[in-house]
Amino acid sequence: MYLLPHNINTAFEALFGEDPNKKAEEEEAFASRWRGIDEARFWQALAEGRGADKLLAIFVIGHSGNPAAIAPFLSSPNQKERWASALCLGEINDTYAYPYLETMLIEGLSLDPATWPRTREAHWEMQWYDNNRIVALQLLEPWDAPSLISTMRQAYQRMWDLEQVGHPHLSGYAYQDALMHALGQRGAFGSLTGLNLPLPHLKIAMMQLALGSLRPRTPADAFQALIGDERLQKEVARVLEQRFGLSKEEREDCILNCYEYSIVREAPEQEDEQDAAEDEEEEEELDIFEMEEELGESIVPVLLGQYQGHTAQVKSVSWSPDGTHLASGSDDASVRVWEWTTGKTVTTFSTHTASVNVVAWSPAGRFIASGGSDNMVYVWDALTGEQITAYAGHSAWISAGLAWSPDGKHLASGSWDNSVQIWEAFSGKTLLTYHGHKGIVCSVAWSPDGTCIASGGGYPECLIHIWDAVTGKNLLTYRDHIRDIKKERPLWHIIDRDAEEWARGASSVHSLSWSPDGTYLASAGLRLVMRVWKAATGENVVASDRTCGPLAWSPDGQSLLLDHWGRELEVWQAMTNRRVASYSPLGRAGAEALGWSPNGKY
């Protein structure tokens, strides 16, 4: 839906991990609270924010090259704020951060069971600390303080003590391995003295010390480096002999069976249960595919053309009303107009300064509106590329909220500034600002009769508002994206209780589409939520997990085109809830945008 600047994307990954769904929701939640997600909002959050918002701000500002702004947080009473600041400063080799990074190696490793995690959120937080201890180790490589080896040995001893008393580690042995690898880099081969380790643990620790002393790779890749590398194997064997006095048989055993010892170390009694769970998951997945085969005959359409010209992801597409051309907006900050039959680029519009997230063709077919992450909406001539209007009424991104009125005179634009604005398409005059949403606006659709507008809220609001296009009065609010409490929505692909809990939670409204006669409204959201509503009453008539968006009604109003779990495209009969066709382009990784030709054939 949008492209974050590198420093902001890195900040969200640093705090919430790389799960794209979790990341997307946290991004939307931040934008909803601060009415945008550009760097200026993070400076504001640095000064005024709390909790996760302040941590994100530290990471963003730190990754932006502003060490003076985050250095004061090294002395914060909040542990996470200290860590975030130290990590950012460590990345730019700021020596002031090294003592704090060293402290991170042992801080929080408590033997008191009262401090151990009891909830899922607490487990996630513990994993965050464990993962960042490994990062701190890597950043400390240039640090040569006399105390560092002792601190690393203390950290390993504490991790071993915690394991013996049954502390629930989420990161497995990654931190222990990283510690031994780092100690090996510093030649601290006596670090195992006094530790009463089981044999698998001992052999893995010796291997990490040996590999660390040779500095081949990071600990995660250390054993992989041994495969097929006879020279490295001989060097490791030499270290094992000289430093630990291992016999030839013992050396060969360590080197050739390092993977097996890693597996044995990871609680072998759980293997059978895990294997059984995997078998059960595989069987259920087969059942799912069998059920899908019963849903309807799969008709594979013929690919007619592929268009090349954009240099980054394509975020939006729109057919011209006469069906002769296509418009596409991209992360490369351009819009292209194509002859659909030849793939020839007719016009390129390059006035945007950031990602173009949405394009919409005017009903009469002469003009195109485009909105993007530069907070701008432009109206321009589809044939010449000449700019007609520049609308700067929003203070945050236009991600997917842009719709022409049926008479082609007005535009509705929804933004991450929490508003929807209606304005004259050719003068840029604002006529109405709708402030009904309590968070960002992710999608907008104008009703076919022109009387009302549907707008979809992002996380955490997750509401659909239907409101009068002239007065701005809220007419209806659809609430079923908030949470699937009644569990009426089938989840064919979900076989895990935690996954089901996530899938039935509140879901952003990323896509909205009116049926051509205005009777129905279709919506799709991030947590695999697809719903079809009676527009006049808000009655939910179809609830499915077929897609999280995008989706689009066919011109005859009988079917929906949708992205099915990022695996294939489907034509889905809306009222009978049956698949009538599927399409699986080679190499695809989920559709960003979909559209029907006006005649419904393509």
Side-chain angles (χ1 to χ4, degrees), residues 102-240:
E102 181 178 335
T103 301
M104 287 169 57
L105 302 183
I106 197 96
E107 184 178 12
L109 297 178
S110 171
L111 288 169
D112 181 4
T115 65
W116 295 355
R118 294 288 183 265
T119 65
R120 185 185 309 164
E121 290 73 19
H123 275 274
W124 287 338
E125 184 164 297
M126 183 185 72
Q127 190 171 32
W128 186 86
Y129 283 118
D130 279 356
N131 291 341
N132 280 299
R133 288 189 183 97
I134 297 173
V135 175
L137 264 180
Q138 296 167 348
L139 296 175
L140 281 166
E141 189 171 335
W143 180 239
D144 59 357
S147 61
L148 183 56
I149 289 177
S150 174
T151 301
M152 289 192 289
R153 291 179 64 181
Q154 289 179 48
Y156 190 91
Q157 175 71 60
R158 180 55 56 90
M159 294 296 287
W160 174 235
D161 291 342
L162 288 169
E163 182 176 345
Q164 288 181 296
V165 296
H167 189 283
H169 293 300
L170 287 181
S171 57
Y173 291 90
Y175 183 42
Q176 293 96 312
D177 288 349
L179 284 164
M180 280 297 152
H181 195 89
L183 286 163
Q185 288 178 333
R186 296 171 183 274
F189 293 101
S191 299
L192 297 175
T193 303
L195 288 175
N196 186 23
L197 298 174
L199 191 58
H201 293 61
L202 179 61
K203 292 189 175 184
I204 293 301
M206 289 190 295
M207 286 289 292
Q208 288 290 3
L209 284 166
L211 285 163
S213 70
L214 300 170
R215 295 173 177 259
R217 302 199 180 176
T218 60
D221 300 325
F223 294 158
Q224 185 72 24
L226 284 169
I227 298 176
D229 191 335
E230 294 183 3
R231 180 178 177 181
L232 180 58
Q233 291 176 7
K234 289 179 181 179
E235 292 178 349
V236 170
R238 175 178 53 80
V239 174
L240 293 175

